[in-house]
Amino acid sequence: MTPSPFITTGQLALALQAPDTRPAVFDASYLLAKPAFDGDYSSGPAESDWLEAHIPGSTYVDIARQFSDPRGATHFTHPEPQAIADELARLGVARHTPVVVYDQTQTMFAARLWYLLRWIGVDARVLDGGLDAWRAADLPVQSGPGAAAEPVERWLVSGEGAAWVTKKELAERSETDSRPLVCGLPSASFTGADTSRYARRGRIPGSINVSSRDLFAADGTVRGEKELREAYIAEGVTGEGEVLLYCGGGISATANALTLAELGVTAVRVYDGSLEEWSADPALPLDLG
């Protein structure tokens, strides 16, 4: 049976008491403002929230700055595998150190960092329910900057298999391609009813909608296996073949990857540029309605 990509608050509390196998804990929270008009993109780090309250011993990471390629065409373009490993080493994470990721932003950015770390073979898990669940379990929190991690020796990696699907591959995708192309955005973004932070509204033709936000309960914890499976099956995603995922900027789609992994489905690839890249190319079609 495939191990769960999630860790519970109780499991994490116990793991933090084991000095030999203690995980590194990262808060990956990041803020995306709701757009006031089409093309209104505003985002920024949530370090101030981490400073106010965080899991003791955790480190805040700025995904846009520390785990994205600044030369990329989109805000969160994934870095090369070695760049991810080098940043982890700078943060004190050795090759076989387990990592737990959480956020205070609906698990979306925790999922993004989890996906990047899993890609390079790191033993990474996401805290189910994030900081809210930790506090609800009456576990301690800290405030303030805390102690800086000691860097460790650089370690070498390569990408662990296929994780990404490109714009070119999707643009050339035939109508007979049986692999589901799942959009992880809310339904109003999928149909184009809502204002978009990207250049144009709509969805990639031929895609289906499984909103990643709907796969988590109101308290931020992941829904049960039955509910997850039914949400995907309702859109024809059985997990029997490869699943292609996209969203607005490559973030929500990784929460789809996370919930699919919870179901044991790991043959997935994410379109990293997603609608931010696709909608910026006027030659590429978008469906509405």
Side-chain angles (χ1 to χ4, degrees):
M1 184 175 178
T2 305
S4 173
F6 291 94
I7 186 171
T8 67
T9 54
Q11 290 169 334
L12 177 56
L14 285 174
L16 292 175
Q17 297 174 26
D20 294 338
T21 56
R22 180 185 174 95
V25 181
F26 294 138
D27 183 327
S29 303
Y30 206 83
L31 303 174
L32 283 176
K34 187 174 182 178
F37 52 86
D38 288 346
D40 179 24
Y41 192 107
S42 178
S43 66
E47 187 172 11
S48 60
D49 293 336
W50 176 83
L51 288 168
E52 184 177 324
H54 55 263
I55 293 174
S58 66
T59 300
Y60 179 76
V61 294
D62 181 335
I63 284 191
R65 182 176 62 84
Q66 295 172 258
F67 289 99
S68 301
D69 184 350
R71 302 161 299 177
T74 55
H75 285 80
F76 298 101
T77 302
H78 68 267
E80 292 300 314
Q82 192 58 54
I84 298 171
D86 289 349
E87 183 62 21
L88 289 174
R90 192 188 69 79
L91 292 167
V93 178
R95 179 67 184 90
H96 298 293
T97 301
V99 175
V100 173
V101 188
Y102 75 95
D103 67 27
Q104 302 181 54
T105 45
Q106 301 178 297
T107 309
M108 300 296 124
F109 283 93
R112 174 68 182 189
L113 186 53
W114 165 83
Y115 194 77
L116 292 172
L117 300 189
R118 189 190 72 159
W119 177 40
I120 67 168
V122 172
D123 176 13
R125 298 172 78 184
V126 171
L127 177 62
D128 191 16
L131 186 65
D132 286 346
W134 182 265
R135 298 179 100 162
D138 201 26
L139 290 163
V141 295
Q142 286 182 337
S143 59
E150 289 290 330
V152 298
E153 185 177 351
R154 184 175 188 255
W155 40 279
L156 302 179
V157 297
S158 60
E160 298 287 324
W164 313 102
V165 59
T166 65
K167 180 178 79 170
K168 182 176 185 293
E169 184 176 350
L170 291 185
E172 295 176 351
R173 191 168 183 260
S174 72
E175 293 183 3
T176 59
D177 192 331
S178 61
R179 294 172 300 174
L181 174 60
V182 178
C183 175
L185 292 174
S187 61
S189 297
F190 179 75
T191 62
D194 267 1
T195 305
S196 174
R197 59 175 58 92
Y198 309 110
R200 294 180 290 148
R201 300 187 194 188
R203 62 183 178 275
I204 298 175
S207 59
I208 56 180
N209 187 210
V210 182
S211 171
S212 57
R213 295 183 189 277
D214 293 344
L215 303 177
F216 294 85
D219 65 357
T221 57
V222 67
R223 295 192 182 277
E225 179 183 348
K226 182 174 182 291
E227 291 178 274
L228 293 181
R229 201 171 296 281
E230 287 176 349
Y232 283 107
I233 288 176
E235 295 299 327
V237 183
T238 63
E240 294 178 358
E242 184 181 50
V243 183
L244 306 178
L245 305 168
Y246 80 97
C247 55
I251 305 299
S252 294
T254 59
N256 286 102
L258 179 66
T259 51
L260 284 167
E262 177 72 353
L263 297 175
V265 179
T266 57
V268 304
R269 285 189 290 152
V270 169
Y271 173 27
D272 207 32
S274 285
L275 288 176
E276 183 177 1
E277 180 182 48
W278 186 277
S279 68
D281 186 342
L284 293 174
L286 285 167
D287 285 347
L288 293 167

